[in-house]
């Protein structure tokens, strides 16, 4: 596992890790959730599980972990994911798929439409379908963090440096998902997700015009912390199979 620094087009230095794989072999770009980072045990477990199937590139999103910049909670982080995918492509990996978790899942859905670097498949785990979700206690706490005058101070104790609140609302995953086709897309959501209910995944699949494949996982919790090695293995095999299918079409 090699430390890397990747720069975005708007000048943010992103710190992360690269698990090398075979030249011209497959790679996954892991996109972590809000307040998470590549140093967190749950993310590290995901990275190590994916590394059994090829190269892995994972960066701390802006305002998180050791990266520079300020966290915009999904808006500007599309540029971060673009830089990480670009790194993978420049390293010679093919095919490249993105596996995003929670905030990273919503970034992955937006990047698949808005990003400059194209990918061969996308896996979205525990993604919200829209913004300003207050239907659960954990999300009400998140919104207190984002909206309170002292939220930026509290955020630093959680390992995130927050940007100013949005003045222009970015497009939601729900508004963009129908433009992801023909890129293979897998939506994964747990029945015991305490941040976002499975209704978000069902709404996303419907908005994709049934392009997305949907796995509702019984007993699964939220994002990285709810993911098991068995689930990551199934996700990796799905991505490799669908990348191969696209390559032969």
């Amino acid at each position: 596992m090699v430390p890397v620094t990747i720069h975005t087009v708007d000048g943010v230095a992103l710190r992360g890790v690269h698990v090398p794989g075979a030249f011209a072999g497959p790679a996954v770009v892991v996109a972590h959730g809000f307040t998470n980072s590549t140093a967190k045990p749950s993310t590290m477990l995901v990275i190590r599980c994916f590394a059994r199937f090829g190269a892995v590139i994972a960066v701390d999103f802006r305002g998180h972990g050791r990266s520079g910049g300020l966290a915009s909670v999904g808006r500007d982080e599309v540029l971060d994911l673009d830089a990480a995918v670009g790194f993978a492509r420049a390293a010679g990996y093919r095919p490249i798929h993105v596996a995003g978790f929670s905030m990273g899942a919503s970034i992955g859905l937006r990047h698949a439409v808005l990003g400059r670097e194209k990918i061969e498949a996308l896996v979205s785990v525990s993604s919200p379908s829209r913004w300003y979700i207050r239907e659960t206690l954990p999300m009400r706490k998140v919104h207190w963090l984002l909206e309170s005058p002292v939220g930026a101070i509290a955020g630093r104790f959680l390992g995130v440096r927050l940007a100013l609140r949005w003045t222009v609302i970015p497009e939601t995953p729900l508004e963009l998902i129908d433009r992801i086709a023909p890129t293979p897309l897998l939506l994964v959501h747990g029945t015991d997700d305490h941040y976002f209910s499975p209704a978000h995944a069902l709404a996303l699949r419907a908005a994709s015009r049934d392009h997305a494949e949907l796995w509702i996982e019984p007993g699964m919790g939220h994002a990285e912390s709810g993911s098991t090695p068995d689930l990551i293995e199934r996700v990796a095999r799905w991505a490799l199979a669908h990348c191969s299918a696209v390559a032969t079409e």
Side-chain angles (χ1 to χ4, degrees):
M1 190 174 297
V2 182
V4 294
T5 300
I6 302 172
H7 291 86
T8 67
V9 295
D10 62 339
V12 177
L14 305 175
R15 311 290 185 181
V17 295
H18 172 205
V19 182
F23 179 75
V28 57
V29 177
V30 174
H32 67 73
F34 183 57
T35 74
N36 218 328
S37 74
T38 56
K40 296 290 182 69
S42 57
T43 304
M44 189 56 63
L45 176 63
V46 167
I47 291 170
R48 288 178 174 145
C49 289
F50 274 125
R52 295 176 51 214
F53 299 91
V56 181
I57 295 90
V59 297
D60 297 343
F61 283 122
R62 62 184 63 204
H64 287 75
R66 297 176 299 118
S67 290
L70 298 174
S72 69
V73 201
R75 180 193 63 199
D76 301 336
E77 287 82 0
V78 168
L79 302 178
D80 303 352
L81 190 50
D82 218 41
V85 173
F87 176 92
R89 201 165 296 283
Y93 296 123
R94 304 288 190 280
I96 299 167
H97 76 273
V98 166
F101 297 81
S102 192
M103 180 189 75
S106 68
I107 294 165
L109 292 168
R110 300 186 73 245
H111 171 267
V113 176
L114 304 175
R116 297 190 301 177
E117 295 284 350
K118 299 308 175 186
I119 57 174
E120 282 68 55
L122 171 62
V123 180
S124 168
V125 182
S126 304
S127 180
S129 60
R130 61 188 191 279
W131 314 135
Y132 300 109
I133 298 160
R134 305 174 194 271
E135 63 201 30
T136 62
L137 178 58
M139 283 307 299
R140 289 193 286 276
K141 291 179 178 179
V142 168
H143 279 288
W144 176 88
L145 187 70
L146 299 177
E147 297 169 356
S148 168
V150 298
I153 298 172
R156 288 183 176 272
F157 288 97
L158 298 173
V160 59
R161 302 173 303 283
L162 292 168
L164 296 175
R165 292 172 60 181
W166 294 338
T167 54
V168 177
I169 308 301
E171 302 100 320
T172 66
L174 201 63
E175 294 171 308
L176 294 175
I177 196 170
D178 66 332
R179 293 162 55 188
I180 292 177
T183 302
L185 170 60
L186 172 62
L187 303 172
V188 181
H189 214 100
T191 57
D192 292 353
D193 191 317
H194 57 295
Y195 280 83
F196 313 121
S197 74
H200 288 270
L202 293 168
L204 286 168
R205 185 174 187 276
S208 78
R209 303 178 190 272
D210 293 335
H211 166 66
E213 185 171 337
L214 174 61
W215 296 355
I216 298 294
E217 295 291 309
M220 177 186 169
H222 183 66
E224 297 102 324
S225 61
S227 297
T228 63
D230 172 72
L231 174 64
I232 299 303
E233 178 177 343
R234 287 191 287 123
V235 162
R237 293 189 184 282
W238 179 94
L240 290 173
H242 283 74
C243 288
S244 298
V246 170
T248 58
E249 289 178 357

